[in-house]
Structures are given as structure tokens and as C-alpha cells.
Amino acid sequence: MLAVGVMLLFYLLRVFPIKNNKVIVCVSAGRRYDDNQKYIIEEFHKLCPDADIVWAKDPKYEYEVPEWMRTVRWYSLRWIYEHATAKIWTNNCSVPDYFVKRKGQMYIETWHGGLGIKKMARDCDGQVGDTFDKTLFLKNASDMADVYISNSDHLSKIYRRAFRYHGPIWKCGYPKNDMLVNGNPEDGARARKELGIPENHKILLYAPTWRERFTLEQRIDMQVYNLDLQRLKKLLTDKFGGEWTMLIRFHPNLRLYSKGYQETHPEVKDVTDYQDMQRLLMATDVMVSDYSSCIFDAALRRIPCFTFATDFEKYKYEERGVYYEMKELPFPYAKDNDEMEQNVKAFDMDDYLKKWDAFTIRMGLNETGHSAKDIAQKMADFLHGKKVTWQNDYPVTIPKEI
């Protein structure tokens, strides 16, 4: 009933004209100011400083946005109105299935996974992550989006197959990764300063993802996050030298738990609430994750990356499902702390980089370092009344099933 009501509201709001200078931005249900949209919209603001930019924000999460944009409460009547009257929508998680795009509006979908390990959308059929009504969800993605932004053939194939998307897919790179490709050391230095980390310290970042079953079972089995960071710190010192600061960044869905972790692990700095993940990666010297796509972002900087996953078989068959076996990845894989120790001791940088380079070729990775500027220019052209066409870098289509 809610969906039907919102659809009707969209039609009623057609009495209000589309505002030709308005852009509405949504990222991860309004939980933070980051991801691809942050970098796109900052470049867009440079091109169109007078544009009315609206950021959807969930008030449960505290963060700041630039003064040149305004916020609207996520999942509110005003939020619906802003969508109904904005010239451009951009989202990283797809719009809700009950939204109705009007003629003369543009919808840019970037998604957020890149070379992700976790399966998505229709690829999750029958898995624990199979929790939404795909018929409406995927119809929306197929019928409404003007373009999907991709950074690889791997992701483009997922858009076609898992999202049943038939429109243009522009493999221009991920805007959030421009920073990592361009490699300005000032970005890393800024993160260190904001977090109070000494300049002469090396940084280990452990950034695991969440589990669907935690939500469904209303409990969290934290044993899957039992990486021994004190032991790892000594190993890193022996292997790479220097003094180390150990950081942990939980998935936003585990944000509340992170407070308790800091109390029981005072030797580890919790950076879950640090807003800019990419800037944090610019400061990182060694990365550890389980199934999060952020490990592929970190690898763009050609730093050592390791995977630590105690529950891979369970995740593969009882969670979202996976696109790779862990041993297919270029990152040394450990199922427990003893294997992690062996992997660090045996790590060879030249061998690791050869595996990473071969992997990126196999996945058809394309990171240009200027994708945010390229997308922002298209948006500016559209607001200025120019005809915009999108390059389709993955033209193969799959017969519609929905």
C-alpha cells in the first residue's frame, strides 16, 4: 500500500514544474557523505556553482555536507517532492521501486561495488541476501535509468545480468577512485592529520563487511572479525619495518557495535565514523578485508592487500553468494590468524603486483582518474539544455524476463 501511495503522490506532484537547476543526490539511504556521488557532485558544483543541489540525509547519522548544498530528510514527503521536481537524480543504490521519473528528468546510477566479491540483485536468487522484491526493483532499474556507470567489464556484465538493465553502460571508471589513481599525497596527509596519526607511522587498515544473517537473526557473531591486530602489528613491523598504527573500519550497518569494539581493543583506532573512505585509503600502507569491495580500491594504489575470512564457505552458500573463490583473487587469503601470519611472512611484492595486474586485465578494469569530471560535464550540459548522449561500452543485452 505504501508503494502505491507514493506512486500516486509522484503523479500528483506533476502539477509542480521540473526545476531546471535542481539535482537530487542519494547515497546509501542517506547515511553518509561519500562514495561516487560525493566526487561527482563536487566537480559538478565547480561547473554549475548556482545549481540547487539537494543531498538526501538520514538524521540518525551525523555528518556535514558542503555549505553550497542543502539537505532533505531521507524517506520524507519533502524527499519525494525533491525527486519529483529535480532535473537530475543520481544514486548509488538504485531508486526505490515506487518512484516515477518524469519526462525531461535524467537518472544516473553509479552503484557502489566495482570489482565486488558479493553477489548482487538477481544473482542472489535463493541466497540469504535475496530479501527484496526484484520484479519492481529491477523493472525500475531497467526502465528508468539513463545510464549506469561502470569501472570494469566485470561490473558491466553484472548490470546486464543481475539488474536486467538494457540501457547505456558507460565504463568511464568510478569517480571515488579518481583520487586513488591520481595519488596526491596531500589526501593521505589530510586523513592522518584529521585522525591524529603521527606522520612517521605506517597504517594498517582492517575493513571487513557485514553479514546478511546478522540482520535476519538479530544478533552478531563477532568471531568472524577476530583478526588478531596486536599479533599482526608485530608481524608487520618485522616484515616492513617502522612503527604501525592499527585502524579498524566496520561497515556502516555495524556502526553501533564499533563503539563496544573500541572499549575492548584500546590498541586499535576505530575509524568507522570517518567519512571519506578514499582519503583514508590514501593514508593506508597495508589493507585487510574479507569480502568488501574496498580492497580492490586500495589495490589501485599498489599497496599490499590481504584477505582474512573465517567463514567463506558459509558466506558463499548461506549469505549473498560470491563472484570469485578467494584463491582466485590476487590477495593472499587466510582463514585464521595462523594463516595470516604465514601470508605476511611469505609476502612478495613483485609477485603480488604481477597477480594484481593480471587480475585487472582479466576483469577489464578501467579507471581513468577523471571520471567524476566526465560525468559532471554531462550533467552540466543537460542542465544547460544541451542534448546528452551516453557512450555504451557494453552493448550486449539479455532478453527481458520481467
Side-chain angles (χ1 to χ4, degrees):
M1 290 299 294
L2 173 64
V4 173
V6 175
M7 285 181 180
L8 290 174
L9 183 57
F10 262 99
Y11 283 108
L12 290 173
L13 289 172
R14 289 172 182 260
V15 300
F16 296 100
I18 294 172
K19 297 184 178 180
N20 290 329
N21 72 329
K22 185 196 291 188
V23 178
I24 176 76
V25 189
C26 289
V27 171
S28 304
R31 292 180 299 197
R32 54 191 188 269
Y33 178 64
D34 70 354
D35 212 75
N36 291 309
Q37 277 60 26
K38 171 183 176 178
Y39 301 97
I40 294 171
I41 215 65
E42 289 180 355
E43 291 296 334
F44 172 76
H45 173 68
K46 296 175 185 176
L47 298 172
C48 301
D50 297 327
D52 180 17
I53 300 172
V54 186
W55 189 276
K57 183 177 182 181
D58 185 334
K60 295 194 299 293
Y61 294 84
E62 295 183 8
Y63 61 86
E64 295 181 356
V65 300
E67 59 182 12
W68 41 263
M69 69 169 63
R70 58 188 177 90
T71 61
V72 63
R73 184 188 179 98
W74 181 79
Y75 216 72
S76 65
L77 290 176
R78 184 77 190 188
W79 174 64
I80 297 170
Y81 166 79
E82 300 291 0
H83 277 88
T85 57
K87 185 71 172 176
I88 299 175
W89 306 351
T90 179
N91 203 307
N92 80 330
C93 288
S94 196
V95 296
D97 52 29
Y98 40 77
F99 275 26
V100 181
K101 192 181 76 167
R102 300 166 64 178
K103 184 177 180 180
Q105 292 182 312
M106 174 185 284
Y107 164 30
I108 301 170
E109 175 61 50
T110 70
W111 202 243
H112 54 274
L115 296 176
I117 297 172
K118 300 177 285 187
K119 285 187 176 181
M120 297 180 278
R122 286 292 293 268
D123 286 347
C124 292
D125 283 353
Q127 301 289 128
V128 173
D130 183 17
T131 57
F132 57 85
D133 184 343
K134 298 187 187 71
T135 301
L136 286 175
F137 177 89
L138 295 170
K139 186 176 189 302
N140 231 34
S142 295
D143 294 347
M144 291 176 56
D146 291 278
V147 66
Y148 266 53
I149 301 302
S150 174
N151 74 338
S152 61
D153 292 335
H154 168 82
L155 183 57
S156 298
K157 291 176 184 177
I158 291 171
Y159 289 155
R160 292 288 187 228
R161 182 187 63 243
F163 288 84
R164 300 301 192 263
Y165 176 66
H166 299 267
I169 297 174
W170 189 17
K171 197 179 74 170
C172 61
Y174 255 11
K176 66 180 179 180
N177 288 337
D178 290 346
M179 177 188 296
L180 303 174
V181 173
N182 294 327
N184 185 345
E186 292 182 4
D187 291 310
R190 177 176 171 182
R192 286 173 175 272
K193 183 177 180 180
E194 291 173 343
L195 292 169
I197 299 172
E199 292 183 6
N200 63 330
H201 276 213
K202 295 181 179 180
I203 292 176
L204 176 286
L205 175 62
Y206 175 41
T209 193
W210 68 306
R211 271 66 173 166
E212 296 275 356
R213 64 182 181 273
F214 291 173
T215 302
L216 298 176
E217 298 172 3
Q218 299 299 310
R219 66 183 181 84
I220 297 177
D221 175 14
M222 298 311 300
Q223 286 303 305
V224 299
Y225 305 122
N226 70 348
L227 178 63
D228 190 337
L229 289 171
Q230 279 190 311
R231 180 178 176 183
L232 183 55
K233 183 176 183 178
K234 184 179 185 305
L235 289 166
L236 293 173
T237 301
D238 292 343
K239 180 69 176 182
F240 300 108
E243 295 187 65
W244 287 80
T245 292
M246 312 300 278
L247 306 181
I248 188 166
R249 182 183 173 91
F250 285 104
H251 188 279
N253 288 355
L254 297 178
R255 177 171 169 266
L256 295 179
Y257 172 79
S258 72
K259 308 305 177 186
Y261 183 93
Q262 185 74 82
E263 293 176 3
T264 56
H265 298 77
E267 76 284 359
V268 181
K269 190 175 186 66
D270 176 18
V271 294
T272 302
D273 286 337
Y274 187 74
Q275 283 296 308
D276 198 323
M277 178 59 166
Q278 309 311 97
R279 189 176 294 137
L280 185 60
L281 291 177
M282 284 297 299
T284 298
D285 295 286
V286 173
M287 173 82 182
V288 180
S289 187
D290 44 21
Y291 317 115
S292 175
S293 63
C294 66
I295 194 169
F296 300 100
D297 299 346
L300 291 171
R301 293 194 53 235
R302 307 180 75 76
I303 62 172
C305 294
F306 298 84
T307 49
F308 177 82
T310 65
D311 62 342
F312 178 69
E313 294 301 314
K314 192 166 189 175
Y315 196 92
K316 177 180 177 180
Y317 294 110
E318 300 180 24
E319 281 276 337
R320 295 268 292 273
V322 296
Y323 288 118
Y324 322 94
E325 296 293 326
M326 296 301 280
K327 292 185 178 180
E328 289 182 76
L329 300 175
F331 318 119
Y333 164 50
K335 297 186 291 294
D336 55 44
N337 284 291
D338 288 340
E339 288 188 2
M340 189 71 186
E341 177 173 346
Q342 295 170 14
N343 289 343
V344 172
K345 288 181 175 179
F347 182 79
D348 180 271
M349 191 67 175
D350 290 339
D351 181 62
Y352 161 72
L353 291 177
K354 287 178 183 177
K355 290 178 179 178
W356 167 248
D357 290 338
F359 179 79
T360 62
I361 293 171
R362 192 164 71 250
M363 294 298 106
L365 183 67
N366 182 57
E367 294 289 7
T368 65
H370 49 75
S371 59
K373 292 181 179 179
D374 294 341
I375 298 165
Q377 185 62 62
K378 294 277 192 180
M379 293 169 62
D381 289 346
F382 188 68
L383 252 62
H384 293 148
K386 298 180 181 179
K387 183 178 179 180
V388 172
T389 57
W390 297 97
Q391 182 173 328
N392 187 8
D393 293 315
Y394 201 80
V396 178
T397 60
I398 293 174
K400 289 188 177 181
E401 299 180 7
I402 57 174

